[in-house]
Amino acid sequence: QGRSVLRCPVEGGPRSSSGSMNTSAVYGGPWRALASGSGSGGAAWAIREGSGSLVEMQPRAGAASELLPRLQLSATSAANVTALHALGASVALLGLESGGRLHAWFLQTARHSSWQLPKATKWVGLCSAKGHLFFGGVERAREGPRFSIWQALLTPELRAALDTASVDGASGSEPSRVDHGASFAAA
């Protein structure tokens, strides 16, 4: 319904008092996608259903497990985003459309960039770890739909936003499938 979120404890991360999953209310929705930044400074962000606005969420006073809208950013480029990921402690928000358009909203500079992933895949999710982006997609195959994971190095501008630019100056790579390691050229 876009009005609640399931929170699951992560090994080594903050845990709920019971150490198990719990549901939290998210007010002001319905919401289409929700992401939480890493670290203590990481804010939660959501995309409001219908308007495509990016909204920073904050815990409700006296009820830390409930989220309220704090700040709304008008972003028409988020209108078709179906998956959201906060990069770092909310340095940038990444949004993915099912057709493969990847968006980055740089929160410190208010800049927006976008890239196109292969259109033959229906894209369903994204995350990042250790200088890489990972994308989940469903490909049409003769034997039926097939889920695959793709990976790419962070682009130079995303790495710079995270202050993790490497000394060797390696640039971002085109995404490649993890299960086959095949590269492709982005459109």
Side-chain angles (χ1 to χ4, degrees):
Q1 296 177 349
R3 298 185 192 281
S4 62
V5 63
L6 180 63
R7 292 183 173 200
C8 305
V10 176
E11 184 79 23
R15 293 185 156 282
S16 67
S17 58
S18 66
S20 60
M21 297 182 288
N22 60 44
T23 305
S24 296
V26 184
Y27 297 104
W31 305 101
R32 182 172 56 234
L34 183 74
S36 182
S38 62
S40 60
W45 289 86
I47 297 178
R48 191 182 303 275
E49 186 65 59
S51 72
S53 296
L54 295 169
V55 180
E56 183 180 16
M57 308 299 285
Q58 68 179 8
R60 184 171 71 85
S65 67
E66 298 178 10
L67 295 173
L68 297 171
R70 178 179 174 271
L71 172 71
Q72 180 167 309
L73 305 175
S74 178
T76 56
S77 53
N80 296 315
V81 167
T82 57
L84 194 61
H85 177 68
L87 192 61
S90 295
V91 170
L93 287 177
L94 302 178
L96 182 62
E97 298 179 14
S98 63
R101 175 63 61 187
L102 174 64
H103 299 272
W105 296 277
F106 296 89
L107 301 172
Q108 304 303 315
T109 62
R111 282 189 13 245
H112 171 261
S113 293
S114 68
W115 303 268
Q116 181 63 51
L117 301 178
K119 292 182 179 182
T121 300
K122 178 182 178 186
W123 299 98
V124 296
L126 75 155
C127 66
S128 66
K130 297 183 180 180
H132 288 82
L133 294 173
F134 295 90
F135 306 97
V138 178
E139 299 175 81
R140 292 183 276 292
R142 197 172 299 141
E143 58 278 356
R146 185 177 79 176
F147 184 81
S148 61
I149 302 291
W150 297 66
Q151 71 174 2
L153 289 173
L154 289 174
T155 66
E157 63 185 325
L158 289 172
R159 279 198 325 269
L162 286 170
D163 292 324
T164 60
S166 63
V167 175
D168 66 6
S171 63
S173 68
E174 297 295 330
S176 60
R177 282 189 17 194
V178 173
D179 54 355
H180 293 317
S183 294
F184 63 86

